[in-house]
Amino acid sequence: MTGKIIDGKAFAERLKSDTAKQVSILKEKYSITPGLAVIIVGEDPASQVYVRNKNKSTKAAGMNSFEHRLDDNISQNELLDLIEKLNHDPAVHGILCQLPLPKDLDENAIINAISPAKDVDGFHVINSGLLATGGKGMVPCTPLGCIKMLRAELGSLCGKDAVVVGRSNIVGKPMAQLLLDEDCTVTIAHRHTKDLASVVRNADILVVAVGVPELVKGSWIKKGATVIDVGINRIKKKTPAGEKQKYRLTGDVEFKEALKNAAAITPVPGGVGPMTIGVLLQNTVTAACRQHNVAEPKI
Ligand code: NDP
């Protein structure tokens, strides 16, 4: 018997459709149109694709989308001035600065210049602090989406042994915190973990966010575990000379082998990736409701 493949695209479509319904209620009942401002600096091709998709999905949900495309030689102060303007713009409820930024810009200073109430990525130090202390802040989109998928799959997560591989500020750490908030027993593994295989073998819930293709072997997965593969790795395909280089995407988990042991697993592509934008839209609605002091419409 093989495990179930969790359909992230279908999950994301449901999130987006729920968000669109919330937006139409907000417009009708309170004349509020949630607005998301996205800042992109430079020409990084992957970032360009992400921003195009975010813009398209924001508009499709009936929200306002404000795109700010900046030259990669923009100064720190110019970027901070733009963020300050957006912080005070009442039509903008969410602000997102697409990462990575060019090296001579101070990423932390820029993220922390965004008003915490409008920080829909949930990366501001105040929002990280609120997450760590059980407060009501903005929660990072990817880990929040993973929790939503896990809840949809498993119902209550209470008492499960959860392992998170990776401890970045944007995925691993908030993911571990959210699993802890769901009453899981949480272990965080990283580059210095002595025996990764044996740590992974203990997981009822396994979330992997490292950026190393197929680091986690299928044989390490506990029978019946639920596996969320956050990794997105671009692998060069064999391409005939003279043709444009082609790539395939793969995750951090050996997918086919993992299917033999896991009860359910997210694929790459088509798992966590599409769902992240869905949560970003939901976070923008949450931010708009909080800023206008109205209850979030229930769908
Ligand atoms: P980072 O590079 O910031 O963090 C990677 C983490 O993995 C680090 O904590 C690192 O450990 C750990 N790690 C690296 N190698 C190993 C190893 N051999 N054994 C154990 N742990 C290891 O990456 P991100 O968290 O930003 O992203 C992780 C992956 O998720 C990437 O592939 C990224 O593209 C993807 N991603 C996908 C998103 C989506 O929407 N689907 C959103 C965000 C990210 P240490 O701290 O010890 O160095």
Side-chain angles (χ1 to χ4, degrees), residues 62 144 154 230 232:
L144 180 55
L154 296 169
V230 182
I232 302 175

Side-chain angles (χ1 to χ4, degrees), residues 225-247:
T226 303
V227 181
I228 306 287
D229 189 352
V230 182
I232 302 175
N233 306 291
R234 263 158 57 102
I235 309 286
K236 277 186 182 173
K237 276 184 169 175
K238 272 193 190 151
T239 314
E243 278 187 23
K244 198 178 162 212
Q245 178 65 55
K246 290 188 177 139
Y247 295 88

Side-chain angles (χ1 to χ4, degrees), residues 147 150 157-167 171-190 193 199-200 202-208:
I147 283 289
L150 285 166
L157 311 184
C158 179
K160 304 260 185 219
D161 286 320
V163 171
V164 180
V165 190
R167 56 173 168 179
V171 190
K173 282 182 201 158
M175 187 71 235
Q177 185 62 54
L178 290 172
L179 287 163
L180 195 58
D181 293 347
E182 296 286 326
D183 297 322
C184 293
T185 303
V186 184
T187 304
I188 306 174
H190 45 77
T193 297
V199 172
V200 167
N202 202 36
D204 302 317
I205 293 171
L206 175 67
V207 182
V208 189

Side-chain angles (χ1 to χ4, degrees), residues 123-288:
F123 296 162
H124 192 290
V125 69
I126 287 186
N127 284 319
S128 314
L130 286 169
L131 180 61
T133 54
K136 201 171 117 188
M138 298 306 304
V139 179
C141 303
T142 301
L144 180 55
C146 294
I147 283 289
K148 286 177 188 280
M149 280 177 145
L150 285 166
R151 278 203 217 115
E153 213 48 51
L154 296 169
S156 166
L157 311 184
C158 179
K160 304 260 185 219
D161 286 320
V163 171
V164 180
V165 190
R167 56 173 168 179
S168 70
N169 289 339
I170 64 172
V171 190
K173 282 182 201 158
M175 187 71 235
Q177 185 62 54
L178 290 172
L179 287 163
L180 195 58
D181 293 347
E182 296 286 326
D183 297 322
C184 293
T185 303
V186 184
T187 304
I188 306 174
H190 45 77
R191 215 178 287 269
H192 304 283
T193 297
K194 266 192 256 158
D195 183 355
L196 186 60
S198 72
V199 172
V200 167
R201 277 194 185 101
N202 202 36
D204 302 317
I205 293 171
L206 175 67
V207 182
V208 189
V210 291
V212 179
E214 301 188 340
L215 172 79
V216 171
K217 306 301 167 210
S219 59
W220 299 356
I221 311 284
K222 183 176 177 176
K223 278 264 176 237
T226 303
V227 181
I228 306 287
D229 189 352
V230 182
I232 302 175
N233 306 291
R234 263 158 57 102
I235 309 286
K236 277 186 182 173
K237 276 184 169 175
K238 272 193 190 151
T239 314
E243 278 187 23
K244 198 178 162 212
Q245 178 65 55
K246 290 188 177 139
Y247 295 88
R248 70 181 169 88
L249 292 185
T250 185
D252 291 341
V253 179
E254 210 182 38
F255 181 73
K256 277 192 188 145
E257 290 303 306
L259 264 180
K260 294 179 187 164
N261 288 329
I265 180 169
T266 57
V268 179
V272 174
M275 188 259 339
T276 298
I277 293 186
V279 179
L280 172 69
L281 302 182
Q282 290 218 318
N283 272 357
T284 306
V285 165
T286 301

